[in-house]
Amino acid sequence: MDHLVTCVPNFSEGRNRTTVHALIRAVQSVPGVMLLDWTMDPDHHRSVLTFVGEPDAAADAAFRAIRVATRLIDIRKHRGVHPRIGATDVVPFVPAKGVTAHDCVRLARRLGERVGRQLEIPVFLYEQAAAGPDRAPLESVRRGGLEGLARRMRSDRRWRPDFGPATLHRTAGAVVIGARPPLIAFNVNLQSGDLEVSRSIARTIRESNGGMSHVKAIGVELSSRGMVQVAMNLTDYRVTPVHAVFEAVQALASLHGVAVADSEIVGLVPQAALVDAAADALRLESFDRSLILEKKIESALEASQGSVTIARHQPARDLRALSVGQLLDAIAAATPSPAGASVSALVASCAVSLGIMGARLSRRRGETARLASIAERLGRLAQADGVAYGEYLEASRLPASDSRRPARLAQALHRATQIPLQIAELTGRAGKWLYIGRQHVKQRVQADSTVGIILCLAAAEASLHIAGENIKHQINRMFIGQIEAAMRRTAICLEELRRLCYTPPPDRSVIKEKSAQARPEKAQKRREWKSRSSITTLKRPSRSPRRSSQVKGFSGN
């Protein structure tokens, strides 16, 4: 099979095993479709199937499963903690092999039209298949639950479904179908029954509230286990890895006096995500993934079978593991990566490190942890920029006659634009934290904090410049709209930071000089007065004891 697509449908049934098995049989009834995994959860009252197959076969398997869910699941009787809008809640297609995001969009549209026409269920397209940015996020469609969606469908013409009737199906509700990159469904369970604790943590870490990039989170109750859960979707583990999210949840839980019970991954997970987590937990220095035994065996087997592999773009080195000299050599090398965005992220990391120094000297642990988390994320973004550039190179090398080339280029360029934009957003946020922290650090390091703020502004401006240059080559209008809106928001935040904390003090000598030039007679009188005062002082020696010539409070830092 040269062309494969993965489908991960979510159904609003997690307690009736007979119904879930009927969904599985529907998928397996299609020749050439392979079921990779399935899960069911009674608290979420939800089941997730993961299968792979050639595009047409995968779409047919998804339709058969939706048809079974429509017959067996009554959404009116559903009581679970997970948000949902239908018996079949969401059906995403994900590129697996030899297909592009554009191929998955076409597949989603074809399935949506069939579901709307044959099953008479309203269909909303989301993520990369969405008609516009307002309906692209899944949470936008789910907002207010089934009742909220029904109200919008009745009162707002913009919320007419993409396919199917303009009213909800009596028992099946509605369904969301789309195309997206791989994501990781990651949940952290807390040793507490306090739902507000998990909701507070979710509000803090999710991206929509200014938290961690590419993280969606909600707090839910697990009544069957007597605990609460922070349920998350990580939409790009390469930017925000699993272990960083876990550590953030653990740190926030400790502030509430709550311990982490365990964590779980729902569905499948890319191997690289777990390798990164293991390398971080073991603090492996300059870990090389090619040293993994299974990868070595796979490479050897490919070589023995005569496979020819051309490395068109070398994987980016871990910039954080290089010495200063090595880093400068890597930047100065005759290669296009690491380049502007990576350097901006590294400069921002240095700026944040100045803030960490001040927080540690002032013994402000909470501020230290917050800034350390930002520095870690900036380091990963510096690394991700090199990876994104490699993906863009691969896409640009496709033949002009290849029908996949435009979509692949647009997708790769979107990621190469998103990363510098994320660097700018995160750096601007870091600058504000440095400004807040500067008021509390020891006086001798306040100047260093100011340097950090200035560097943050410079790095953020540089990253915005890179994003602006990259967007000029984008042809996907939806991507352009999303990036330009985010750039405007970031530019406003940077201007606020600039006004807030970097207004250069006036040069007193220049003011005096200008004043003297404007009123020379006044300057002459001042000089005469000073001359007479100094003579008088010399004639009347002071009776007070001599003071040390050292300036009180001087710091050489």
Side-chain angles (χ1 to χ4, degrees), residues 395-476:
S396 65
R397 288 193 176 105
L398 288 173
S401 57
D402 194 325
S403 60
R404 300 171 300 162
R405 191 175 191 272
R408 286 276 296 276
L409 274 173
Q411 190 71 24
L413 188 58
H414 183 55
R415 177 163 166 75
T417 308
Q418 270 189 320
I419 289 173
L421 180 56
Q422 289 165 8
I423 293 170
E425 292 171 343
L426 187 57
T427 303
R429 201 176 309 151
K432 288 189 176 180
W433 282 118
L434 286 178
Y435 171 75
I436 294 169
R438 184 177 63 178
Q439 304 171 44
H440 306 288
V441 299
K442 292 181 180 297
Q443 186 176 3
R444 67 175 184 270
V445 293
Q446 285 185 355
D448 300 291
S449 295
T450 302
V451 170
I453 296 168
I454 296 170
L455 289 176
C456 280
L457 284 166
E461 289 284 2
S463 299
L464 269 186
H465 174 74
I466 295 293
E469 289 299 308
N470 288 350
I471 199 66
K472 293 177 182 177
H473 305 286
Q474 180 61 266
I475 59 174
N476 187 304

Side-chain angles (χ1 to χ4, degrees), residues 207 210-214 239-240 344-346 348-349 351-352 370-382 418-434 452 455-457 459-461 463-464 486 489-491 493-494 497:
E207 182 178 23
M212 305 182 79
S213 182
H214 295 284
V239 176
T240 304
S344 297
L346 292 170
S349 298
V352 174
R370 184 188 300 115
L371 292 174
S373 174
I374 292 176
E376 171 73 13
R377 289 162 62 189
L378 285 167
R380 294 192 175 279
L381 284 169
Q418 270 189 320
I419 289 173
L421 180 56
Q422 289 165 8
I423 293 170
E425 292 171 343
L426 187 57
T427 303
R429 201 176 309 151
K432 288 189 176 180
W433 282 118
L434 286 178
L455 289 176
C456 280
L457 284 166
E461 289 284 2
S463 299
L464 269 186
R489 290 194 300 269
T490 304
C493 292
L494 291 180
L497 177 62

Side-chain angles (χ1 to χ4, degrees), residues 242-515:
V242 177
H243 56 272
V245 176
F246 177 82
E247 289 167 0
V249 172
Q250 188 176 46
L252 290 168
S254 67
L255 296 178
H256 291 275
V258 173
V260 169
D262 51 42
S263 64
E264 63 181 11
I265 290 174
V266 180
L268 303 183
V269 58
Q271 183 187 54
L274 297 182
V275 170
D276 287 345
D280 182 82
L282 298 174
R283 300 178 186 246
L284 299 178
E285 185 178 353
S286 304
F287 180 67
D288 184 355
R289 292 184 188 177
S290 67
L291 299 177
I292 297 173
L293 175 61
E294 289 80 1
K295 282 191 171 291
K296 282 290 186 184
I297 294 173
E298 182 181 340
S299 299
L301 288 174
E302 287 181 355
S304 66
Q305 293 168 3
S307 300
V308 178
T309 305
I310 302 175
R312 291 178 171 175
H313 177 74
Q314 294 297 325
R317 288 184 291 175
D318 188 349
L319 301 177
R320 295 165 299 172
L322 303 180
S323 67
V324 175
Q326 291 172 329
L327 178 60
L328 294 176
D329 288 342
I331 295 170
T335 59
S337 177
S342 295
V343 171
S344 297
L346 292 170
V347 169
S349 298
C350 292
V352 174
S353 296
L354 287 173
I356 294 172
M357 175 191 70
R360 284 175 173 165
L361 287 172
S362 305
R363 298 184 179 180
R364 298 179 62 81
R365 293 184 180 179
E367 191 175 322
T368 299
R370 184 188 300 115
L371 292 174
S373 174
I374 292 176
E376 171 73 13
R377 289 162 62 189
L378 285 167
R380 294 192 175 279
L381 284 169
Q383 197 69 19
D385 181 64
V387 175
Y389 182 77
E391 293 172 353
Y392 179 73
L393 279 184
E394 289 295 322
S396 65
R397 288 193 176 105
L398 288 173
S401 57
D402 194 325
S403 60
R404 300 171 300 162
R405 191 175 191 272
R408 286 276 296 276
L409 274 173
Q411 190 71 24
L413 188 58
H414 183 55
R415 177 163 166 75
T417 308
Q418 270 189 320
I419 289 173
L421 180 56
Q422 289 165 8
I423 293 170
E425 292 171 343
L426 187 57
T427 303
R429 201 176 309 151
K432 288 189 176 180
W433 282 118
L434 286 178
Y435 171 75
I436 294 169
R438 184 177 63 178
Q439 304 171 44
H440 306 288
V441 299
K442 292 181 180 297
Q443 186 176 3
R444 67 175 184 270
V445 293
Q446 285 185 355
D448 300 291
S449 295
T450 302
V451 170
I453 296 168
I454 296 170
L455 289 176
C456 280
L457 284 166
E461 289 284 2
S463 299
L464 269 186
H465 174 74
I466 295 293
E469 289 299 308
N470 288 350
I471 199 66
K472 293 177 182 177
H473 305 286
Q474 180 61 266
I475 59 174
N476 187 304
R477 290 189 176 275
M478 187 182 77
F479 289 162
I480 293 173
Q482 292 173 349
I483 293 295
E484 287 182 341
M487 287 179 66
R488 285 192 294 271
R489 290 194 300 269
T490 304
I492 291 171
C493 292
L494 291 180
E495 187 58 36
E496 290 174 354
L497 177 62
R498 187 178 290 104
R499 288 198 302 266
L500 185 67
C501 57
Y502 182 46
T503 302
D507 189 335
R508 297 295 178 187
S509 62
V510 173
I511 292 174
K512 289 179 180 179
E513 184 179 345
K514 287 183 177 179
S515 176

Side-chain angles (χ1 to χ4, degrees), residues 9-24 40 45-49 64-79 84-90 121 146 169-174:
N10 290 228
F11 301 97
S12 298
E13 178 55 71
R15 298 166 187 166
N16 189 324
R17 193 171 289 270
T18 301
T19 299
V20 175
H21 284 170
L23 297 170
I24 292 171
M40 58 186 294
H45 202 355
R46 191 174 187 83
S47 55
V48 180
L49 276 57
R64 295 189 189 190
I66 295 170
R67 184 170 57 191
V68 170
T70 304
R71 188 176 76 249
L72 298 180
I73 301 172
D74 189 342
I75 195 62
R76 297 172 299 178
K77 301 176 182 178
H78 188 280
R79 299 292 182 273
R84 72 277 174 191
I85 60 163
T88 303
D89 184 49
V90 59
I121 300 174
L146 197 59
H169 189 282
R170 189 171 62 89
T171 60

